[in-house]
Amino acid sequence: MMLRTFTLLLLCIWLNPGMTSLAVESQPELWIESNYPQAPWENITLWCKSPSRVSSKFLLLKDNSQMTWIRPPYKTFQVSFFIGALTESNTGLYRCCYWKEKGWSKPSKILELEAPGQLPKPIFWIQAETPPLPGCNVNIFCHGWLQDLVFMLFKEGYTEPVDYQVPTGTMAIFSIDNLAPENEGVYICRTHIQMLPTLWSEPSNPLKLVVAGLYPKPTLTAHPGPILAPGESLSLRCQGPIYGMTFALMRLEDLKKSFYHKKPIKNEAYFYFQDLKIQDTGHYLCFYYDGSYRGSLLSDILKIWVTDTFPKTWLLVQPSPVIQMGQNVSLRCGGLMDGVGLALYKKGEEKPLQFLDASSNTGNNSFFLKNVTYRDAGIYSCHYYLTWKTSIKMATYNTVELMVVDKPPKPSLSAWPSSVFKVGKTITLQCRVSHPVLEFSLEWEERTTFQKFSVDGDFLITDIEGQGTGTYSCSYRIEAHPNTWSHRSKPLKLVGPAGFCFWSPLVTGFLTWNSILNEAVRVSLTMQLASLLLLVVWIRWKCRRLRLREAWLLGTAQGVAMLFILMALLCCGLCNGALTEEIEIVMPTPKPELWAETNFPLAPWKNLTLWCRSPSGSTKEFVLLKDGTGWIATRPASEQVRAAFPLGALTHSHTGSYHCHSWEEMAVSEPSEALELVGTDILPKPVISASLPIRGQELQIRCKGWLEGLGFALYKKGEQEPVQQLGAVGREAFFTIQRMEDKDEGNYSCRTHTEMQPFKWSEPSEPLELVIKEMYPKPFFKTWASPVVTPGSRVTFNCSTSHEHMSFILYKDGNEIASSDLAWGNPGGSTAHFLIISVGIGDGGNYSCRYYDFSIWSEPSNPVELVVTEFYPKPTLLAQPGPVVLPGKNVTLRCQGIFQGMRFALLQEGTHTPLQFQSTSGTSADFLLHTVGAQDFGNYSCVYYETTMSNRGSSLSTPLMIWVTDTFPRPWLSAEPSSVVTMGQNVTLWCQGPVRGVGYILHKEGEATSMQLWGSTSNEGAFPIINISGASIGRYSCCYHPDWMSPIKIQPSNTLELIVTGLLPKPSLLVQPGPMVAPGENVTLQCQGELPDSTFVLLKEGTRQPLEQQRPSGYRADFWMPVVRDQDSGVYSCVYYLDSAPLVASNHSNSLEIWVTDKPPKPSLSAWPSTIFKLGKDITLQCRGPLPGVEFVLEHDGEEAPQQFSEDGDFVIDNLEGKGIGNYSCSYRLQAYPDIWSEPSDTLELVGAAGPVAQECTVGNIVRSTLIVVVVVALGIVLAVEWKKWPRLRTRGSETDGRDQTVVLEECNQEGEPGTTTNSPSSASQEVSVELTVPI
């Protein structure tokens, strides 16, 4: 067998970023096992192992002819093929495959079994951990097919091996560190049995190692182009600056099988591909080297596409598909192909509108339309544009309809938290649109002078003294047209509280025991207050004198009375509201995910990399910590919102507990789950967790192992052997206890191990105790709206139970995020509402709730999967066999996504929750609808989302209508631009219907054959007819043509007459009584031809079908239009054709424009820059009307004659001597009909610098100042009166007994005559009285 030589060119530059995502199909692994280690050929068994998935069938190939396949009794990862003793009959080349979902996998590497007594020849390849130049590291792999072999690495020119290894598996890895030029050369690998060092295998194929970077890089070009169809020819040209070199071309997807060498005479080489195949698609590059294997740098990577259909392009509009006239719009065209030109098309136009060359196409490109007008409105699409000829089909993902309006569309207005004022609370009105806005304005219908402005669209409304209630609306203006305000939003009404104090329950109509109890408490407090006040008044009136102690008691009683007053007022202010408040959820920064990866699956500790990924799209940076203290490293977030932390070979310094955080602009996340590295040759310790065990129900135990491709084992304390084992299923495994009983209680732990024997085990996880406890039944848990939401939506979770006085806990992905207090107010069951005001990308996940009282908890509720959409591209939804189904039959809805390993959900329009969920390892999911009936009729859509990162989902698919009927709905056939076309023009016949995903057939009257359009993915089929000729004239119809066998009846469409003009003299068209008529009048259009026996056709601009046809007896047809309306306005024309030559028509008549109006509509009047004159500045009044060809006039109140005339509607107003101030209005007249004037516009007031705004401010300041003065004067009067009424302080004493003086407080209104003295007992005994007046 000829030796094959493989050459690898190694670079220390990073490859093109596009190369990081190359999808290379994983090969199965093939190896030998034998129970005769010293003579393995005596008994051979071949093992075949699937790399990542279980399979139901395995196939063994020998010499590409003989086949042996095994179907194991259950799906597994690996199977064995028994060979027995090696003889001449079973020598040869062996490979194996495994069965995937859609066919056999890629074969394994070739195993060559030679004559008995010889070891199989190893295979040899090389891989760079990073793309290296000198100083980088290279790994050389040698696969020996058997275990416990000694591997030797030889280099040409050396008699002794340069390296050897004794691995535990079937493969050795030789590392070359710090690559240098002396490492260049030819290498081979050989093996021998440890116990028999004299028994060697055949040498492996030689491998040339070339160190690059010594010569300049060449250039690689493709002719005719880099994108071609299968079967076409391709020439790749590699050109360098040096003559006499050897050139090499390689495809990065398969370096071994796609390596080509050429030694040309000149400084360039051509590599030819005569018959391209799909598998030739890939990333190509070239280089050159001299006779000493010193090579050049690699050329730039050239992507070659071999496909029969281009990937679809998609088109997005910015800022919005609804554009105001005169604004600029950007149409961004995207696709999967870079380096290809793009072209923008508009429906109805044959040639592209704009081009983008290949050099500027980087996957994100924009076409610009400036100063758009009504002519720019229409349906746009974009396609790839190639400069070379190819037979590749092109398709577009979507079309965009651009609408041009005179004013921006109206916004939406909402109130938060509700539109009902609560006592002491404010309401925020939120005005929202989907595109950037310069400023928002809020208007209040009850107050015409009220107007607020906001940049973000939020307006704070208070209800002081009931002044906030009323009806509000909002509008906005954009930066491109700051003087034009949008249409107003729908009005929103704000109302006050439902009632007042005692009567609120009666007013609102909710008279419950709770309200009766509240009213009883209020009445009781009021009665106590009144009794206390009467008591205090009676004491003050009755008592003439009080000593100091009694005065203090009176003050205390007054203080208590005031306290009761305050409590009573507070209780009176407590009006009954909702029994259940909404609890706002304050979401923490989402917890990131931490895991490990390695390129040594049998010995992960040789090279370990830790990865941290965040579910939040706003993550700026990641931080990795060890043992909770030391800062290890920080990494900026990549586009995939993740960061890598390479640890390299694991040493004792690396052991410890790791976790990571994600940083956003103003917050840091919770730490990830801890990853514990416990040794240099021990796998990381796994983490075990489970939901609450419930008697009689299924329980899943989760074991997270941190690494891909590990086996899992579950242990129970007290048992030696594992209770369950699982193979490699990802980084985590789920062990299931089918029915939880008392015998299943205990402490559990789990371990992970490598898949290849001998196993390398991890440390056991921390123990998990499972105990069955007495619980309340699970609560009822749901969302008020659909759980599939867009970012920014409002979501409310409702958790309820029939038990009274319960508290609630809300969980997200098993973590508590919100709680509610005991629900004492509701005499029935307990309910809690948890609110997310504005959902973010990281808020998705699995939500559940529980309730509890003082000691007992409930079972967890059923989870609600909250999916936040618009993170991934939308999927495609198709119906199999088709979207039209007979009642009682089955239909399968296939949701086709882009990424693998997603979870899919099927939704039906009008339903609250998704109909079905499905998780799959592929990129699609099939949803089966059994025995469909009338209730299954409707629009369906689907979404896919990832379950590991906050349920980040795709956009919803395009809705698919499922028809449950025995008859297809009737389609409609129309022509674009019209069914009346000129000879040589192009026309498209559109067969349109409500059923999507169905083919169409076009019939022409008198012809046996039909034009077919199969498998249309839209709801319309296009049949283009190019260069209209006489053969195209005729009557057409169409019908559905499903591409599946179906007994459903099919109905034909309407009949379309395709009329060709330009073959007869044109007619004349007149209107009676005139081109401008009032609504409700009658109009007659007279079409006069030149030939008799003709059929006349009336046409209207903008309509695809003729309005009416007539066959008069003479030369003229009268088309009568009774009771015309506004929509009858437009441009009309007519044609005619002879009965002897039907549908061969004349030229179009002259166009005739008809106006149906009694008075043209009134214009709008606005002022720029504002309606307030500034010193030395003018104001421009802008009058705008809906009709072209008009003359505007401006009128000023107080002036008899119009002030100014203008054709463009702009009037400049100055304010000399204050003459510009006042009310203005404008109107216009048609230049064709100068006697007809429009209605005047709404009046607009211009004011000076000290206008109503300043006057209102001045009046407000005067009112406030007056109130301040009144309050100060009143306070002074009260102080003066109190000072005059102040009591006197008298002191009486004794002369001899030495007792303390007694201070007596005399009341100002005491009874008794003047001069009467009342002595104390002490003074009476001494008969001495001293009276002193002391002011207090």
Side-chain angles (χ1 to χ4, degrees), residues 997-1001 1012-1016 1023 1039-1044:
V998 182
Y1000 296 90
I1001 290 182
Q1012 297 182 1
L1013 178 64
W1014 290 91
S1016 174
F1023 298 90
C1039 63
Y1040 290 112
H1041 190 85
D1043 52 2
W1044 71 92

Side-chain angles (χ1 to χ4, degrees), residues 1184-1200:
R1184 297 292 183 263
L1187 303 179
V1190 298
E1191 183 183 24
F1192 295 91
V1193 63
L1194 181 68
E1195 298 179 355
H1196 186 192
D1197 286 359
E1199 297 184 5
E1200 297 182 359

Side-chain angles (χ1 to χ4, degrees), residues 1005-1050:
E1005 187 178 290
E1007 293 187 3
T1009 59
S1010 302
M1011 298 175 60
Q1012 297 182 1
L1013 178 64
W1014 290 91
S1016 174
T1017 57
S1018 67
N1019 60 347
E1020 52 188 27
F1023 298 90
I1025 301 178
I1026 301 175
N1027 194 9
I1028 287 288
S1029 62
S1032 305
I1033 301 173
R1035 293 177 174 86
Y1036 292 83
S1037 65
C1038 71
C1039 63
Y1040 290 112
H1041 190 85
D1043 52 2
W1044 71 92
M1045 297 298 296
S1046 174
I1048 303 175
K1049 300 176 183 177
I1050 298 176

